[in-house]
Amino acid sequence: MRALARLPDLVRQVLEKAPSEVEAIAERLLRAGNVLYLGRGYNFPVALEGALKLKEISYIHAEGYAAAEMKHGPIALIDDLMPVVFVAPKDAVYQKIVSNVEEVKARGGRVIAVVTEGDTGLAKLADHRLEVPETLDLLTPILTVLPLQLLAYYIAVRRGCNVDQPRNLAKSVTVE
């Protein structure tokens, strides 16, 4: 219960700290033609959300994928021109995601990793890191999604896209 009570402070911490780091990474990614987002466990949906936001507001092709399944397709696309964003906090599947990062690096991929503050395990592997505070595994998606949304925002702004009115997006959801 204490972790949940601390969550608003942790979110505020991410939002105050992340923008300058995210802006620097955005500058490097704004010309990317494709970006792959990978996550495991609770953070697989975060990878999907990161890719979706990048597509929606910057018009860069991005795909979210389960890191555990990357050998079944996405690994064939990885080279030095394919940025790969890993959602990799220190959680129950951390060692497995480190192995995925090693596979991407072995193929020349550029790695951007969302990691837990103070994580030295991915420091040597990731080209760029965005840190979030430590919390319960179940709560990490609330923190890890923030830098990915900011990344999409800063890339879109730098590309001259109207982030307030993305093209071709429905303003409301209709069900038939």
Side-chain angles (χ1 to χ4, degrees):
M1 200 61 162
R2 283 183 36 214
L4 194 55
R6 286 190 47 219
L7 197 55
D9 292 332
L10 298 178
V11 168
R12 194 167 19 261
Q13 183 180 333
V14 172
L15 290 173
E16 288 172 359
K17 183 179 172 191
S20 61
E21 297 167 8
V22 175
E23 283 187 86
I25 296 169
E27 192 64 39
R28 296 178 184 271
L29 293 183
L30 68 107
R31 288 176 204 42
N34 301 287
V35 181
L36 182 61
Y37 286 73
L38 299 172
R40 283 179 173 262
Y42 293 124
N43 285 289
F44 166 52
V46 175
L48 295 175
E49 169 67 7
L52 178 65
K53 284 297 170 262
L54 188 66
K55 277 189 271 201
E56 286 180 337
I57 65 172
S58 75
Y59 318 125
I60 294 174
H61 177 254
E63 293 296 326
Y65 218 81
E69 303 297 323
M70 78 177 216
K71 289 185 179 181
H72 303 290
I75 202 162
L77 302 172
I78 295 170
D79 60 18
D80 62 343
L81 299 175
M82 172 71 80
V84 182
V85 178
F86 279 95
V87 187
K90 280 227 173 172
D91 60 11
V93 293
Y94 176 76
Q95 288 305 324
K96 292 180 179 183
I97 204 129
V98 169
S99 295
N100 294 128
V101 172
E102 289 170 341
E103 290 183 48
V104 167
K105 289 305 287 185
R107 287 157 179 81
R110 294 183 294 154
V111 172
I112 297 99
V114 179
V115 300
T116 303
E117 282 178 333
D119 178 359
T120 57
L122 285 173
K124 297 179 266 317
L125 295 172
D127 298 289
H128 305 284
R129 293 180 312 143
L130 296 166
E131 293 186 343
V132 297
E134 185 176 354
T135 191
L136 299 174
D137 288 7
L138 181 63
L139 299 177
T140 59
I142 296 168
L143 301 178
T144 56
V145 75
L146 297 172
L148 298 184
Q149 290 174 335
L150 287 170
L151 184 62
Y153 171 81
Y154 286 120
I155 290 171
V157 167
R158 280 178 170 61
R159 288 171 59 100
C161 302
N162 183 344
V163 295
D164 294 321
Q165 292 188 320
R167 66 180 185 220
N168 301 328
L169 288 183
K171 299 297 180 217
S172 63
V173 176
T174 57
V175 179
E176 290 187 28

